[in-house]
Amino acid sequence: MSSKPVVLKDVAEFCGVNVTTVSRALRNDKRISQATTERVVAVANKMGYDPARFHAARQLRLSRHGQQLVNNTIAFWFVHEGFTCSNYFMNIQQGVLDAITNEMFEYYTSEPYFWVTRGEVPLAYRRGDIDGVVAVMQWNKAYLDMAINMLRDDPNFADRPIVNLVEELPGCSSVCPDNELAGYLAAAHLLAAGHTHMMWWHFLADNEYPNSVQSLRCRGMIRALCENGLDPDEAAVDAPAWYGVGDLRKRNADFIGRLRSHPEVTAIIVPNDKLAVEMHQTLTEAGFSVPEDISMVSFDDTDAVAVGGNPNILTTVRLPLTEIGQMGTNLLIKQIMGKEPKQQNIVVPVHLVERSSVAPPKRR
């Protein structure tokens, strides 16, 4: 029995077609009829043809002619800390997994914030094994920009597509919820209930990135205030720093202290449901009732059930996170296959979910 590996030519001769037809059939190329594709695949499987044996050689041959071999492998970028403790990110990941499973792709996970030099970029990227990147990145953009620039400068990645989810990034495609509408809906709902003074995390807005999640939400909130004849500088109070403050007691005390020093504030707009859970507990421990003393609106609709153990408490702007993960990954795969332009920004609608954390204001 010969140990010589089966090659495309062997499959082609057995089927009575040329090598190009076999190659296209094994890639499920639509130029080849369904009947021919099924026959070629069946013969290749029966003969023991293994495309992995020749992958590196094909990749090298195509690169000499400026062409790219599709590896059916994408990278998934995320922040490890966020994924380990957040329903928000797990919903997005579910959408990514659904899409790659349907398209017969695989994914390779990375956390690019740790790439400081080219030598720290994983070999899979430098070998050209990664066809594109789908990312869920929203923090520390200086490091993220550096990682993207290193890939763009590498000839084995160069202009391969990158799609970021939830937030736009320069030089990348994106699939995002309508963040400006989300901010508008949150503020407008409080205004409709009679609240004219509210607290929000405006400091999270990044002037360097005007299309960041928080910048767009703030823009929507300000529009709602202005439409109701209110001055945002007077109607909105900045909440104290919460992210990056390691001492839980200190950040709780800072928040309650700021709230007590602004008795005109009757509502808060929280950046996400996970933080809203903590805020609800902090308010309760300080003697405030939600919504009798303080109304609350959040974003995501991923952790609403955890607020006070009651699924009917948190009013929030629902973001279609699983759909965004699926849409972004599908877009990336189409870009890899040359079926979509490599620069697109898609905005997905959002809507408000009314529950019981908002009530008419009570004078404090």
Side-chain angles (χ1 to χ4, degrees), residues 153-262:
D153 290 339
D154 191 313
N156 285 325
F157 190 91
D159 63 345
R160 296 186 185 189
I162 299 175
V163 176
N164 197 51
L165 307 178
V166 181
E167 183 170 286
E168 288 186 27
L169 286 178
C172 306
S173 293
S174 65
V175 177
C176 306
D178 193 333
N179 289 306
E180 184 171 345
L181 176 61
Y184 179 86
L185 292 174
H189 184 63
L190 291 173
L191 290 164
H195 298 274
T196 56
H197 292 81
M198 55 195 72
M199 183 179 288
W200 62 23
W201 274 255
H202 182 269
F203 71 90
L204 289 173
D206 190 338
N207 292 328
E208 189 177 349
Y209 292 89
N211 290 325
S212 69
V213 169
Q214 199 62 19
S215 293
L216 290 171
R217 286 181 184 171
C218 285
R219 197 179 304 166
M221 295 176 202
I222 290 170
R223 178 161 61 91
L225 292 173
C226 291
E227 285 181 3
N228 283 267
L230 298 173
D231 182 348
D233 291 333
E234 295 180 2
V237 175
D238 279 355
W242 194 272
Y243 295 101
V245 180
D247 189 333
L248 181 63
R249 288 176 299 179
K250 181 182 184 306
R251 69 184 194 179
N252 288 350
D254 288 346
F255 168 69
I256 295 300
R258 179 74 59 87
L259 194 59
R260 293 194 192 282
S261 67
H262 289 276

Side-chain angles (χ1 to χ4, degrees), residues 339-361:
K339 296 177 180 179
E340 289 283 351
K342 288 186 178 178
Q343 187 64 46
Q344 292 191 53
N345 295 305
I346 298 171
V347 177
V348 183
V350 301
H351 69 275
L352 184 80
V353 180
E354 296 185 34
R355 298 193 180 97
S356 62
S357 63
V358 174

Side-chain angles (χ1 to χ4, degrees), residues 321-332:
L321 298 171
T322 301
E323 291 85 346
I324 286 171
Q326 202 164 22
M327 290 173 64
T329 308
N330 284 332
L331 172 61
L332 178 70

Side-chain angles (χ1 to χ4, degrees), residues 242 248 251-253 255-256 260 268 270 273-290 294 296 306-309 313-314:
W242 194 272
L248 181 63
R251 69 184 194 179
N252 288 350
F255 168 69
I256 295 300
R260 293 194 192 282
I268 58 174
V270 191
D273 288 355
K274 187 173 185 295
L275 181 56
V277 174
E278 298 179 44
M279 301 300 301
H280 186 275
Q281 182 177 351
T282 299
L283 288 166
T284 301
E285 291 173 353
F288 292 92
S289 295
V290 177
I294 296 290
M296 180 188 296
V307 178
I313 284 185
L314 186 60

Side-chain angles (χ1 to χ4, degrees), residues 4-7 11 41-51 53-54:
K4 181 181 176 182
V6 176
V7 298
V11 179
V41 169
V43 169
N45 290 337
K46 185 175 182 179
M47 295 180 70
Y49 172 72
D50 182 4
R53 286 176 175 258
F54 313 101

